[in-house]
């Protein structure tokens, strides 16, 4: 019976001890935290932002750094924002700080708590409750808690771009982060550099002072070494196809691990992976991403779909053949491309244009290719 206990994590954040590379990025964030810098961490989806943050939090426990992370994905309102922050503190406040946190929030009399239902119960009792005092109490909490512990506190607001849809919230958060930067560090994580676009730039708080770290693709050499070692440790030989696998994945962290996992399922202990095994893994991966790819493409305008196809099939939205075969005027490409860049679907790098997700690009070429 084939052993299917794959060593490749691909369907969620990677455990700190299984991360590939990212050592220098973790060091940079720690250094900026010590320097009281405000920080933005920018990367497309599935590039490992959450895994990196968890690694810093895990290692911070040994050095006195407390990391509290709030997931703000698709946050809908100020009340929703309060609930996300309250949940983060309820789940991540260390036991030794919970009494102090409880007293601080209790004195605020804003309905928030790190125990029990907290703000949800307050809203249930009084649906017209104003959420802003509760939000302010939670934003002030880390600086007040910093007085009760010697180490530094790092607040991570993940998927922070979602906050732009909550009027006034981004500016309020930024103001607190700026004012309290000497006691508490803040890391704004998300998918685009425009996360702080609505933050105030007056009163001596220029947004440009936030340091930005962009997560790039993983280096091919390290990916080859790690994948080969993990296969070899289970008496599997992947040396004949490792270059092909890494080339298909294009350094994309999650897609590389997905392809490695699917290849693992094709190779039994004592066997050597073949080109047929790799092709089967790629075919299975394309089937797995089919529904997501169709939803992604369907959610775009006609012009945006054509630009995405042009980049996937021709390597640039301005290709003459894209103009002819896809009916893509240059003016349409110029208008649509920035949206696709901002949403993390395509990127313009020193090596040229490409689709961020290599499996989406291959799916497009497989299903709709006009390049041949």
């Amino acid at each position: 019976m084939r052993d299917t206990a794959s060593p490749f994590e691909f369907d969620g954040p990677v455990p700190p001890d299984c991360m590939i590379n990212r050592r220098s990025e973790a060091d940079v964030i720690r250094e900026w935290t010590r320097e009281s810098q405000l920080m933005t961490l920018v990367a497309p989806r599935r590039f490992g932002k959450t895994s990196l943050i968890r690694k810093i939090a895990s290692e911070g426990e040994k050095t006195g750094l407390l990391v509290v992370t709030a997931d703000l994905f698709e946050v809908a309102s100020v009340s929703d924002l309060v609930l996300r922050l309250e949940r983060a503190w309820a789940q991540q406040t260390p036991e030794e700080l919970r009494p102090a946190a409880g007293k601080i929030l209790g004195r605020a009399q804003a309905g928030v708590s790190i125990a029990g239902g907290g703000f949800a119960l307050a809203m249930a009792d009084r649906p017209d409750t104003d959420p802003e005092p509760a939000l302010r109490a939670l934003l002030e909490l880390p600086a007040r808690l910093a007085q009760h512990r010697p180490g530094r506190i790092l607040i991570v607001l993940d998927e922070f771009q979602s906050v732009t849809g909550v009027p006034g919230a981004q500016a309020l958060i930024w103001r607190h982060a700026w004012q309290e930067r000497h006691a508490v560090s803040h890391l704004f994580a998300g998918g685009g550099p425009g996360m702080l676009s609505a933050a105030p730039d007056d009163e001596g708080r220029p947004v440009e002072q936030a340091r930005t770290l962009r997560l790039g693709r993983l280096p091919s050499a390290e990916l080859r070494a790690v994948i080969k070692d993990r296969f070899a440790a289970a008496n599997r030989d992947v040396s004949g196809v490792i270059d092909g696998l890494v080339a298909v994945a294009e350094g994309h962290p999650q897609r590389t691990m997905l392809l490695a996992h699917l290849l693992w399922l094709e190779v039994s202990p004592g066997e050597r992976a073949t080109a047929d095994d790799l092709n089967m893994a790629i075919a299975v991966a394309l089937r797995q991403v089919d529904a997501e790819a169709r939803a992604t493409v369907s959610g775009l305008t006609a012009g945006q779909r054509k630009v995405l196809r042009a980049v996937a099939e021709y390597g640039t939205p301005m290709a003459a053949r894209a103009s002819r075969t896809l009916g893509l005027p240059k003016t349409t490409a110029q208008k649509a491309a920035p949206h696709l860049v901002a949403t993390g679907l395509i990127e313009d790098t020193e090596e040229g244009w490409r689709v961020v997700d290599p499996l989406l690009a291959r799916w497009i070429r497989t299903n709709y290719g006009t390049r041949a």
Side-chain angles (χ1 to χ4, degrees), residues 253-267:
Q254 191 272 345
R255 293 320 199 193
T256 303
M257 294 299 102
L258 172 60
L259 288 169
H261 166 76
L262 294 174
L263 179 60
W264 174 278
L265 300 182
E266 297 298 320
V267 184

Side-chain angles (χ1 to χ4, degrees), residues 142-186:
R144 297 194 177 190
L145 277 181
Q147 302 173 13
H148 296 266
R149 67 187 306 275
R152 194 159 181 84
I153 298 176
L154 172 61
I155 304 300
V156 179
L157 302 178
D158 200 7
E159 304 296 342
F160 189 69
Q161 71 278 356
S162 298
V163 180
T164 59
V166 181
Q170 192 183 63
L172 181 62
I173 292 171
W174 171 259
R175 188 175 302 115
H176 277 276
W178 176 263
Q179 292 171 346
E180 298 167 359
R181 66 192 184 283
H182 297 299
V184 179
S185 296
H186 284 75

Side-chain angles (χ1 to χ4, degrees), residues 26-359:
D27 289 341
V28 167
I29 291 176
R30 282 190 284 262
E31 180 180 354
W32 287 353
T33 299
R34 290 192 296 268
E35 295 175 351
S36 303
Q37 299 282 348
L38 298 179
M39 302 164 278
T40 59
L41 176 63
V42 178
R45 292 181 61 234
R46 302 191 180 100
F47 260 53
K49 294 188 301 294
T50 302
S51 298
L52 176 59
I53 291 165
R54 290 188 178 184
K55 175 181 177 65
I56 293 169
S58 175
E59 295 174 351
E61 295 176 358
K62 306 171 186 176
T63 61
L65 175 66
L66 170 61
V67 181
V68 177
T69 301
D71 183 355
L72 305 184
F73 181 69
E74 295 296 333
V75 65
S77 65
V78 174
S79 295
D80 191 13
L81 179 57
V82 169
L83 293 172
R84 305 289 187 93
L85 294 174
E86 183 186 54
R87 183 183 306 128
W89 282 103
Q91 295 174 348
Q92 300 168 52
T93 303
E95 287 299 324
E96 65 272 15
L97 286 180
R98 297 185 78 85
K103 290 180 181 178
I104 292 169
L105 293 177
R107 286 196 294 267
Q109 297 183 338
V112 288
S113 170
I114 61 169
F119 194 66
L121 290 179
M123 286 194 300
D125 291 339
R126 294 184 56 190
D128 60 345
T129 298
D130 180 4
E132 187 165 320
L135 177 58
R136 291 181 180 275
L138 288 166
L139 294 178
E140 294 167 359
L141 177 61
R144 297 194 177 190
L145 277 181
Q147 302 173 13
H148 296 266
R149 67 187 306 275
R152 194 159 181 84
I153 298 176
L154 172 61
I155 304 300
V156 179
L157 302 178
D158 200 7
E159 304 296 342
F160 189 69
Q161 71 278 356
S162 298
V163 180
T164 59
V166 181
Q170 192 183 63
L172 181 62
I173 292 171
W174 171 259
R175 188 175 302 115
H176 277 276
W178 176 263
Q179 292 171 346
E180 298 167 359
R181 66 192 184 283
H182 297 299
V184 179
S185 296
H186 284 75
L187 175 65
F188 304 94
M195 288 185 291
L196 296 177
S197 58
D201 58 4
D202 56 359
E203 299 183 30
R205 299 186 301 269
V207 170
E208 288 77 10
Q209 288 194 15
R211 305 291 296 273
T212 297
L213 176 65
R214 289 175 172 82
L215 289 187
R217 295 169 186 267
L218 295 176
S220 297
E222 189 155 358
L223 287 173
R224 288 190 191 96
V226 169
I227 294 171
K228 286 178 67 175
D229 287 348
R230 292 184 184 178
F231 269 84
N235 192 26
R236 292 166 163 90
D237 184 356
V238 74
S239 57
V241 298
I242 185 62
D243 288 344
L245 186 154
V246 172
V248 170
E250 297 180 2
H252 188 295
Q254 191 272 345
R255 293 320 199 193
T256 303
M257 294 299 102
L258 172 60
L259 288 169
H261 166 76
L262 294 174
L263 179 60
W264 174 278
L265 300 182
E266 297 298 320
V267 184
S268 295
E271 291 185 351
R272 174 177 294 180
T274 66
D276 287 342
D277 294 327
L278 177 58
N279 289 334
M280 179 58 71
I282 294 171
V284 173
L286 290 178
R287 289 199 296 271
Q288 289 192 9
V289 304
D290 181 78
E292 178 186 350
R294 291 182 185 277
T296 297
V297 173
S298 298
L300 302 175
T301 66
Q304 291 163 1
R305 285 196 294 272
K306 290 180 180 181
V307 169
L308 181 62
R309 287 185 59 184
V311 174
E313 296 177 44
Y314 303 107
T316 172
M318 304 301 176
R321 289 190 63 189
S323 177
R324 293 195 303 270
T325 59
L326 300 176
L328 177 59
K330 287 187 177 181
T331 54
T332 299
Q334 291 168 346
K335 291 179 181 178
H339 171 81
L340 298 179
V341 171
T343 54
L345 287 175
I346 63 175
E347 58 183 349
D348 185 11
T349 70
E350 294 180 356
E351 293 78 27
W353 288 91
R354 66 175 162 185
V355 178
V356 172
D357 182 350
L359 291 183

